[in-house]
Amino acid sequence: MNGSREEDLALRHLQSQGLELIERNVRARGGELDLVMRDRNSTLVIVEVRKRTHRAFGSAAESVDARKQRRIVQAARALLARRPELARLPARFDVVALDGDDRIDWIQAAFDASD
């Protein structure tokens, strides 16, 4: 995702819900991870932030299709190989979708590594 404004909105929202930022805009083999966070239960949360101003091509959440999910999982695996201390944590993949008016839809455990 290119929009740092949208990432800022998502980050503030997730922090207000108790998540702690570990890294942001992590470039790894396969792609980029928008936000890497830890929740109150010490779960590693890989967050994809998506924005759509118009729904002509579907919602922001729908844009995280199977191909995009595979790229995120591949990048997450590369991150975990570099950061073994994170690999010990349980993990999940969340999506923060912003449609039109910046309404935030936080989808927890939106997909898993086997999807």
Short mmCIF file of all heavy atoms in Angstrom, two decimals, residues 49-74:
data_model
loop_
_atom_site.label_atom_id
_atom_site.label_comp_id
_atom_site.label_asym_id
_atom_site.label_seq_id
_atom_site.Cartn_x
_atom_site.Cartn_y
_atom_site.Cartn_z
N VAL A 49 -2.87 -2.94 4.99
CA VAL A 49 -3.75 -1.77 4.97
C VAL A 49 -4.16 -1.52 3.52
O VAL A 49 -3.30 -1.40 2.64
CB VAL A 49 -3.04 -0.53 5.56
CG1 VAL A 49 -3.99 0.67 5.55
CG2 VAL A 49 -2.53 -0.80 6.96
N ARG A 50 -5.47 -1.45 3.29
CA ARG A 50 -5.99 -1.23 1.93
C ARG A 50 -6.98 -0.09 1.93
O ARG A 50 -7.81 0.03 2.84
CB ARG A 50 -6.67 -2.49 1.40
CG ARG A 50 -5.76 -3.69 1.33
CD ARG A 50 -4.60 -3.49 0.43
NE ARG A 50 -5.01 -3.71 -0.94
CZ ARG A 50 -4.23 -3.91 -1.94
NH1 ARG A 50 -2.92 -3.90 -1.76
NH2 ARG A 50 -4.67 -4.11 -3.14
N LYS A 51 -6.91 0.73 0.88
CA LYS A 51 -7.82 1.88 0.72
C LYS A 51 -8.46 1.80 -0.65
O LYS A 51 -7.77 1.53 -1.65
CB LYS A 51 -7.01 3.17 0.86
CG LYS A 51 -7.72 4.43 0.41
CD LYS A 51 -8.73 4.91 1.40
CE LYS A 51 -9.28 6.26 0.95
NZ LYS A 51 -10.35 6.71 1.76
N ARG A 52 -9.74 2.03 -0.70
CA ARG A 52 -10.47 2.16 -1.96
C ARG A 52 -11.37 3.38 -1.85
O ARG A 52 -12.13 3.50 -0.90
CB ARG A 52 -11.34 0.93 -2.23
CG ARG A 52 -10.60 -0.30 -2.71
CD ARG A 52 -10.32 -0.19 -4.20
NE ARG A 52 -9.42 -1.19 -4.70
CZ ARG A 52 -9.78 -2.31 -5.28
NH1 ARG A 52 -11.04 -2.63 -5.39
NH2 ARG A 52 -8.86 -3.12 -5.73
N THR A 53 -11.26 4.27 -2.81
CA THR A 53 -12.13 5.45 -2.80
C THR A 53 -13.46 5.17 -3.48
O THR A 53 -14.46 5.77 -3.15
CB THR A 53 -11.45 6.65 -3.48
OG1 THR A 53 -10.81 6.22 -4.66
CG2 THR A 53 -10.43 7.29 -2.58
N HIS A 54 -13.45 4.23 -4.42
CA HIS A 54 -14.68 3.87 -5.13
C HIS A 54 -14.83 2.35 -5.09
O HIS A 54 -13.85 1.63 -5.13
CB HIS A 54 -14.62 4.34 -6.59
CG HIS A 54 -14.38 5.80 -6.72
ND1 HIS A 54 -15.33 6.75 -6.41
CD2 HIS A 54 -13.28 6.51 -7.10
CE1 HIS A 54 -14.83 7.95 -6.60
NE2 HIS A 54 -13.58 7.83 -7.01
N ARG A 55 -16.05 1.90 -5.06
CA ARG A 55 -16.30 0.47 -4.97
C ARG A 55 -16.54 -0.18 -6.34
O ARG A 55 -16.97 -1.32 -6.42
CB ARG A 55 -17.48 0.21 -4.06
CG ARG A 55 -17.20 0.73 -2.65
CD ARG A 55 -18.19 0.23 -1.69
NE ARG A 55 -17.53 -0.87 -1.00
CZ ARG A 55 -18.08 -1.61 -0.08
NH1 ARG A 55 -19.32 -1.41 0.26
NH2 ARG A 55 -17.42 -2.56 0.50
N ALA A 56 -16.24 0.53 -7.41
CA ALA A 56 -16.48 -0.01 -8.75
C ALA A 56 -15.76 -1.34 -8.96
O ALA A 56 -16.24 -2.20 -9.70
CB ALA A 56 -16.05 1.00 -9.81
N PHE A 57 -14.61 -1.50 -8.33
CA PHE A 57 -13.84 -2.73 -8.47
C PHE A 57 -13.82 -3.54 -7.18
O PHE A 57 -12.93 -4.33 -6.95
CB PHE A 57 -12.40 -2.40 -8.90
CG PHE A 57 -12.34 -1.71 -10.23
CD1 PHE A 57 -12.10 -0.35 -10.30
CD2 PHE A 57 -12.57 -2.41 -11.41
CE1 PHE A 57 -12.04 0.30 -11.51
CE2 PHE A 57 -12.52 -1.77 -12.63
CZ PHE A 57 -12.27 -0.41 -12.69
N GLY A 58 -14.83 -3.34 -6.33
CA GLY A 58 -14.91 -4.06 -5.07
C GLY A 58 -14.43 -3.22 -3.91
O GLY A 58 -13.92 -2.12 -4.06
N SER A 59 -14.60 -3.78 -2.73
CA SER A 59 -14.21 -3.07 -1.52
C SER A 59 -12.71 -3.19 -1.28
O SER A 59 -12.02 -4.00 -1.92
CB SER A 59 -14.96 -3.66 -0.32
OG SER A 59 -14.46 -4.96 -0.03
N ALA A 60 -12.23 -2.41 -0.35
CA ALA A 60 -10.81 -2.47 0.01
C ALA A 60 -10.45 -3.87 0.51
O ALA A 60 -9.43 -4.43 0.13
CB ALA A 60 -10.49 -1.41 1.06
N ALA A 61 -11.29 -4.45 1.35
CA ALA A 61 -11.03 -5.78 1.88
C ALA A 61 -10.99 -6.83 0.77
O ALA A 61 -10.15 -7.73 0.78
CB ALA A 61 -12.07 -6.15 2.93
N GLU A 62 -11.87 -6.70 -0.20
CA GLU A 62 -11.92 -7.66 -1.30
C GLU A 62 -10.67 -7.60 -2.17
O GLU A 62 -10.35 -8.56 -2.87
CB GLU A 62 -13.16 -7.41 -2.17
CG GLU A 62 -14.45 -7.76 -1.47
CD GLU A 62 -15.67 -7.28 -2.24
OE1 GLU A 62 -15.57 -6.32 -3.03
OE2 GLU A 62 -16.75 -7.86 -2.03
N SER A 63 -9.95 -6.49 -2.11
CA SER A 63 -8.74 -6.36 -2.93
C SER A 63 -7.58 -7.19 -2.40
O SER A 63 -6.56 -7.33 -3.07
CB SER A 63 -8.34 -4.89 -3.06
OG SER A 63 -7.82 -4.40 -1.84
N VAL A 64 -7.73 -7.74 -1.20
CA VAL A 64 -6.70 -8.63 -0.65
C VAL A 64 -7.06 -10.05 -1.11
O VAL A 64 -7.55 -10.87 -0.34
CB VAL A 64 -6.58 -8.51 0.88
CG1 VAL A 64 -5.42 -9.36 1.39
CG2 VAL A 64 -6.40 -7.06 1.30
N ASP A 65 -6.83 -10.29 -2.38
CA ASP A 65 -7.21 -11.56 -2.99
C ASP A 65 -6.15 -12.64 -2.69
O ASP A 65 -5.15 -12.39 -2.00
CB ASP A 65 -7.42 -11.38 -4.49
CG ASP A 65 -6.17 -10.87 -5.22
OD1 ASP A 65 -5.07 -10.87 -4.63
OD2 ASP A 65 -6.31 -10.45 -6.38
N ALA A 66 -6.37 -13.85 -3.22
CA ALA A 66 -5.49 -14.97 -2.94
C ALA A 66 -4.05 -14.68 -3.36
O ALA A 66 -3.10 -15.04 -2.65
CB ALA A 66 -6.01 -16.23 -3.63
N ARG A 67 -3.87 -14.02 -4.48
CA ARG A 67 -2.52 -13.68 -4.94
C ARG A 67 -1.83 -12.73 -3.95
O ARG A 67 -0.67 -12.93 -3.59
CB ARG A 67 -2.59 -13.05 -6.33
CG ARG A 67 -1.25 -12.69 -6.90
CD ARG A 67 -1.38 -12.23 -8.38
NE ARG A 67 -0.11 -11.81 -8.88
CZ ARG A 67 0.22 -10.54 -9.10
NH1 ARG A 67 -0.64 -9.57 -8.89
NH2 ARG A 67 1.41 -10.23 -9.55
N LYS A 68 -2.54 -11.71 -3.52
CA LYS A 68 -1.98 -10.75 -2.56
C LYS A 68 -1.68 -11.46 -1.23
O LYS A 68 -0.64 -11.21 -0.61
CB LYS A 68 -2.96 -9.59 -2.36
CG LYS A 68 -2.47 -8.54 -1.39
CD LYS A 68 -1.24 -7.82 -1.91
CE LYS A 68 -0.82 -6.71 -0.98
NZ LYS A 68 0.46 -6.13 -1.39
N GLN A 69 -2.58 -12.33 -0.81
CA GLN A 69 -2.36 -13.08 0.43
C GLN A 69 -1.08 -13.91 0.35
O GLN A 69 -0.29 -13.93 1.30
CB GLN A 69 -3.55 -13.98 0.73
CG GLN A 69 -4.79 -13.22 1.11
CD GLN A 69 -6.01 -14.10 1.25
OE1 GLN A 69 -5.91 -15.31 1.45
NE2 GLN A 69 -7.19 -13.51 1.14
N ARG A 70 -0.86 -14.58 -0.78
CA ARG A 70 0.36 -15.38 -0.94
C ARG A 70 1.61 -14.51 -0.84
O ARG A 70 2.62 -14.91 -0.24
CB ARG A 70 0.34 -16.13 -2.28
CG ARG A 70 -0.55 -17.35 -2.28
CD ARG A 70 -0.35 -18.21 -3.51
NE ARG A 70 -0.63 -17.51 -4.76
CZ ARG A 70 -1.83 -17.41 -5.32
NH1 ARG A 70 -2.88 -17.95 -4.75
NH2 ARG A 70 -1.98 -16.76 -6.46
N ARG A 71 1.55 -13.32 -1.42
CA ARG A 71 2.71 -12.41 -1.36
C ARG A 71 2.97 -11.94 0.07
O ARG A 71 4.13 -11.83 0.50
CB ARG A 71 2.49 -11.22 -2.28
CG ARG A 71 2.51 -11.66 -3.76
CD ARG A 71 2.33 -10.50 -4.67
NE ARG A 71 3.59 -9.73 -4.64
CZ ARG A 71 3.78 -8.62 -5.30
NH1 ARG A 71 2.81 -8.12 -6.05
NH2 ARG A 71 4.92 -7.99 -5.25
N ILE A 72 1.91 -11.66 0.81
CA ILE A 72 2.05 -11.24 2.21
C ILE A 72 2.64 -12.38 3.04
O ILE A 72 3.56 -12.16 3.84
CB ILE A 72 0.69 -10.78 2.78
CG1 ILE A 72 0.23 -9.50 2.08
CG2 ILE A 72 0.79 -10.57 4.29
CD1 ILE A 72 -1.23 -9.14 2.34
N VAL A 73 2.14 -13.59 2.85
CA VAL A 73 2.65 -14.75 3.58
C VAL A 73 4.13 -14.97 3.25
O VAL A 73 4.95 -15.21 4.14
CB VAL A 73 1.80 -16.01 3.28
CG1 VAL A 73 2.48 -17.27 3.81
CG2 VAL A 73 0.41 -15.86 3.87
N GLN A 74 4.49 -14.86 1.99
CA GLN A 74 5.89 -15.03 1.58
C GLN A 74 6.78 -13.97 2.24
O GLN A 74 7.85 -14.28 2.75
CB GLN A 74 6.01 -14.95 0.06
CG GLN A 74 7.41 -15.19 -0.44
CD GLN A 74 7.49 -15.14 -1.96
OE1 GLN A 74 6.58 -14.68 -2.64
NE2 GLN A 74 8.60 -15.59 -2.50
#
